[in-house]
Amino acid sequence: MVASCFCSSSEVVRIVQDLRNRSRLYGLEAVARAGILGRSAEEHSEMIDLALSGDRESLEALVARHIGHVRNLWAGVADQPL
């Protein structure tokens, strides 16, 4: 479930920084070399747009899909293309 966000930009930045600090970015270099890092990163912009538009259903679907294929890509499993 994605929580509603009625917070300032600085709060969003803090939340994203905290989440990133908690994330392990092992395999990032291999994903970048494979040429798919850019598309994966673009999904973050799409998530922001969906959150700002209030499209919760689409946002939840994109977040779930993104987490699933990013985990697989970084683990070297290629069954979920971007």
Side-chain angles (χ1 to χ4, degrees):
M1 177 190 312
V2 177
S4 296
C5 183
F6 295 101
C7 48
S8 68
S9 295
S10 61
E11 182 68 7
V12 171
V13 169
R14 187 195 62 73
I15 291 167
V16 170
Q17 286 174 334
D18 182 54
L19 290 171
R20 181 161 185 208
N21 288 338
R22 294 175 187 216
S23 299
R24 294 184 180 206
L25 300 179
Y26 299 120
L28 182 62
E29 189 175 322
V31 172
R33 279 194 310 265
I36 51 180
L37 181 60
R39 176 62 193 127
S40 180
E42 286 174 8
E43 289 182 334
H44 292 199
S45 293
E46 293 173 33
M47 288 178 214
I48 291 168
D49 291 343
L50 290 169
L52 292 174
S53 73
D55 188 347
R56 181 180 181 154
E57 185 176 314
S58 295
L59 177 59
E60 288 178 352
L62 178 57
V63 167
R65 189 171 59 247
H66 177 76
I67 290 171
H69 68 238
V70 167
R71 285 177 141 179
N72 287 336
L73 288 169
W74 288 2
V77 179
D79 67 343
Q80 292 188 352
L82 291 177

